[in-house]
Amino acid sequence: MARATKPFDGDYDYLVVGAGSAGCVVANRLSADPSRRVLLLEAGGADNWIWFHIPVGYLFAIGNPRADWMFKTTPQPGLNGRALAYPRGKVLGGSSAINAMITMRGQAEDYDGWRDLGLPGWGWSDVLPVFREIENHFLGDSDVHGAAGEWRVEPPRVRWDILDAVRDAAEQIGIPKTPDFNTGSNEGSGYFHVNQKAGRRWSAATAFLKPVMKRQNLRVETGVLVESLLIENRRVKGLVFRQNGQRFSVSANAEIILCAGAIGTPAILQRSGIGPAAVLEGSGVTPVVDLPGVGGNLQDHLQQRAIYKVSGAETLNQIYYSVYGKMKMGIDYALRRRGPLTMAPSQLGIFARSDAQRARPDIQFHVQPLSLDRFGEPLHRFPAITVAACNLRPTSRGHVRIASPDPDAAPVIDPNYLATEEDRHMAREAISLTRRLMQQPALSRFAPVEHVPGEAAAGKDLAGVAGDIGTTIFHPVGTAKMGRADDPAAVVDAALKVHGVEGLRVIDASVMPQITSGNTNTPTIMIAAKGAAMIRS
């Protein structure tokens, strides 16, 4: 990989900031034109640690400064004053190197909702061809899936009796089984399809960046911390960054594309003087472009994370603390690339309606054959499963703001969880539905006992219980939202160009005007492929 000992000669066409899920795709697509020179800048390091590639490595990567930015939220009133760890990937591939590997598009109505906000080209019929184009799906080419793309999708390579029983229990409360969540409707229960290849994590760096790293017109730099953009007469000309204790400036002949994610992108914009003027002035930054929406509209999926002790069932908790179990896991993985070392954090998904009057599912379950107090801490020593239910379309909105112009200073992240009565109602419904699910006859042989919230919830309103057990599912989006020019909260237009600034686009999860109804990584990959195609056209 090129290092900064080689000079930056300043005649790059495109500067891409962030080599996460979106940046890897954008760099791949833009450098496909050999006449264009592309510089990709990543703040993290290389993905040369074994736990970036063995799927269960998320247990060791999340909460580890080698892999994680280690952000925290502000104390959340809706969570009874608790502050949450807020993991974000700090490595080539970004959060796709440490995430759940779940491939989930969301629902067709999500994208039709974007289109109906005045964003042409973003309806379901518009984005489905892009999803198909990026995919290399184990189900093969069809009307809904593609088989020629880089984004590998495979079925899970491990099964658990206890999860089969949970799926049967879902059917007993009227939730049908489905073989595929990614057809435009994700209603039902099923096993998540995952971004893996032959039992190894398939990150955006593995899929999109590494195959093109030897292109002569693509330069990739790691350990780069962008200070700010260089703006003249409302046109972005270049940027300033730090690397290896040195300070560099580099210019772009065509465009700069911010792909630093829902936390990093608004922070760079704000440090550059693009954002709400009062916030910038309060942080010691001179406003250049007063764009009120920068850093606002933060949305995330808050999960109500219940834990149930079980009997007569094998879970990862017992295997992890057994010498024989560890040996068996290692041998199974080494010889067959199967078993628990291949597992995503959540194996089983359930998409349900909180009540029969809902037009489409509004609650998603992630069911895990393991339990722990929080990611980064050890598994429990008793057999248990985690049944986490989240509100798919929260109405609470938070923000991301810089604390100072110093890029080393952590941003202020306030998701504002459970700020609306609608979200508090949905949290109650999620907990109630979880309890109903776990009381079904299909699970009786495992004798599930609620451990969390358990006795601590006795006598409490369920919204208060949600405040005790609610936690992020790591899906921040929306902080540089797409919107029409007459939308005061919009940051970019339908072509992902920043309002009021020339030569600058944002292509990452921050542009989502409304969060998708499911895991957000694959939609981010789609946005990146679509955005890069817009630039090339």
Side-chain angles (χ1 to χ4, degrees):
M1 184 179 300
R3 302 306 305 158
T5 50
K6 292 176 61 178
F8 295 95
D9 50 18
D11 61 344
Y12 295 96
D13 295 291
Y14 300 111
L15 305 181
V16 182
V17 179
S21 296
C24 288
V25 179
V26 171
N28 173 300
R29 296 299 194 258
L30 296 184
S31 65
D33 181 349
S35 70
R36 294 290 196 170
R37 297 188 68 225
V38 180
L39 175 61
L40 176 62
L41 303 175
E42 166 56 35
D47 61 344
N48 54 3
W49 185 35
I50 189 172
W51 294 119
F52 288 134
H53 305 290
I54 296 178
V56 82
Y58 70 89
L59 286 170
F60 310 104
I62 292 176
N64 186 322
R66 176 173 184 168
D68 183 353
W69 279 100
M70 306 292 288
F71 293 139
K72 289 187 76 71
T73 71
T74 60
Q76 296 292 290
L79 302 185
N80 302 330
R82 291 184 299 126
L84 301 181
Y86 217 65
R88 296 283 87 201
K90 188 181 181 182
V91 61
L92 288 176
S95 293
S96 75
I98 67 171
N99 72 354
M101 296 164 282
I102 293 169
T103 190
M104 185 65 59
R105 296 172 176 175
Q107 298 166 359
E109 294 90 342
D110 298 333
Y111 303 96
D112 289 344
W114 295 4
R115 178 201 61 205
D116 294 345
L117 291 173
L119 299 169
W122 289 98
W124 175 247
S125 62
D126 303 302
V127 302
L128 178 58
V130 187
F131 280 123
R132 292 184 65 250
E133 175 249 321
I134 61 176
E135 268 188 346
N136 177 7
H137 205 288
F138 77 97
L139 291 175
D141 191 62
S142 69
D143 290 343
V144 291
H145 291 301
E150 301 96 330
W151 196 225
R152 180 62 183 167
V153 180
E154 295 191 348
R157 300 169 74 88
V158 61
R159 64 169 295 277
W160 306 83
D161 288 343
I162 184 69
L163 298 189
D164 290 342
V166 173
R167 196 178 186 203
D168 290 340
E171 193 168 43
Q172 288 174 340
I173 60 173
I175 301 169
K177 294 178 180 179
T178 180
D180 188 356
F181 287 127
N182 287 302
T183 63
S185 169
N186 53 18
E187 186 162 15
S189 75
Y191 290 95
F192 289 123
H193 297 161
V194 291
N195 297 118
Q196 295 180 9
K197 188 170 185 179
R200 288 174 65 87
R201 176 186 288 273
W202 199 248
S203 72
T206 302
F208 296 97
L209 184 59
K210 290 181 181 179
V212 303
M213 287 276 278
K214 292 185 179 179
R215 286 177 178 167
Q216 294 299 304
N217 62 328
L218 173 63
R219 180 171 177 177
V220 181
E221 293 289 338
T222 58
V224 169
L225 197 58
V226 172
E227 291 186 359
S228 62
L229 304 170
L230 299 173
I231 305 171
E232 295 179 12
N233 298 320
R234 290 195 169 224
R235 180 173 183 85
V236 176
K237 298 287 191 177
L239 54 80
V240 177
F241 67 89
R242 302 176 191 171
Q243 184 190 50
N244 299 331
Q246 300 181 69
R247 197 165 180 262
F248 300 91
S249 63
V250 63
S251 60
N253 293 330
E255 292 189 34
I256 292 178
I257 304 102
L258 297 183
C259 302
I263 307 302
T265 285
I268 293 170
L269 289 170
Q270 290 175 14
R271 287 199 298 271
S272 306
I274 302 172
V279 170
L280 301 183
E281 290 169 347
S283 302
V285 174
T286 300
V288 177
V289 179
D290 184 9
L291 202 55
V294 173
N297 193 48
L298 174 62
Q299 301 162 58
D300 188 14
H301 289 137
L302 182 75
Q303 61 180 348
Q304 309 309 315
R305 194 167 167 273
I307 295 171
Y308 283 81
K309 291 183 176 181
V310 293
S311 302
E314 184 177 59
T315 74
L316 189 62
N317 292 12
Q318 300 105 293
I319 297 173
Y320 183 77
Y321 288 110
S322 162
V323 173
Y324 170 75
K326 286 182 178 178
M327 290 176 58
K328 185 174 180 291
M329 277 197 301
I331 292 170
D332 205 12
Y333 188 76
L335 297 182
R336 304 195 304 145
R337 288 289 189 265
R338 291 190 175 275
L341 290 180
T342 70
M343 62 182 275
S346 299
Q347 300 285 291
L348 180 68
I350 304 171
F351 287 83
R353 304 172 195 234
S354 59
D355 65 64
Q357 305 308 310
R358 299 280 180 172
R360 54 187 170 124
D362 53 356
I363 291 177
Q364 178 184 5
F365 287 88
H366 289 78
V367 189
Q368 305 165 310
L370 57 88
S371 67
L372 68 173
D373 289 333
R374 59 188 62 84
F375 284 107
E377 297 194 6
L379 297 176
H380 292 144
R381 289 186 173 272
F382 48 80
I385 65 171
T386 300
V387 187
C390 76
N391 173 9
L392 285 171
R393 290 180 291 279
T395 55
S396 299
R397 298 291 183 266
H399 63 256
V400 175
R401 294 174 179 168
I402 57 170
S404 80
D406 182 359
D408 286 314
V412 177
I413 303 172
D414 180 5
N416 200 27
Y417 293 122
L418 300 180
T420 66
E421 179 52 40
E422 183 175 351
D423 285 358
R424 292 189 290 274
H425 169 76
M426 285 300 300
R428 296 185 191 100
E429 292 295 310
I431 295 171
S432 296
L433 187 57
T434 301
R435 288 174 168 171
R436 184 178 166 214
L437 173 71
M438 296 304 293
Q439 291 166 359
Q440 294 308 301
L443 286 162
S444 60
R445 64 190 170 106
F446 298 113
V449 176
E450 186 179 286
H451 176 65
V452 174
E455 293 180 0
K460 283 190 177 182
D461 176 78
L462 288 185
V465 174
D468 290 336
I469 68 171
T471 189
T472 175
I473 205 164
F474 319 137
H475 295 163
V477 306
T479 50
K481 65 168 276 190
M482 278 191 284
R484 303 190 325 182
D486 59 359
D487 179 354
V491 176
V492 301
D493 63 16
L496 308 182
K497 296 179 180 180
V498 176
H499 289 299
V501 186
E502 294 184 20
L504 180 63
R505 294 194 208 219
V506 174
I507 303 180
D508 59 31
S510 67
V511 305
M512 294 187 193
Q514 297 167 339
I515 196 166
T516 54
S517 299
N519 307 69
T520 53
N521 191 235
T522 290
T524 301
I525 299 284
M526 178 277 293
I527 288 168
K530 186 172 174 62
M534 291 176 179
I535 295 173
R536 291 199 63 185
S537 67

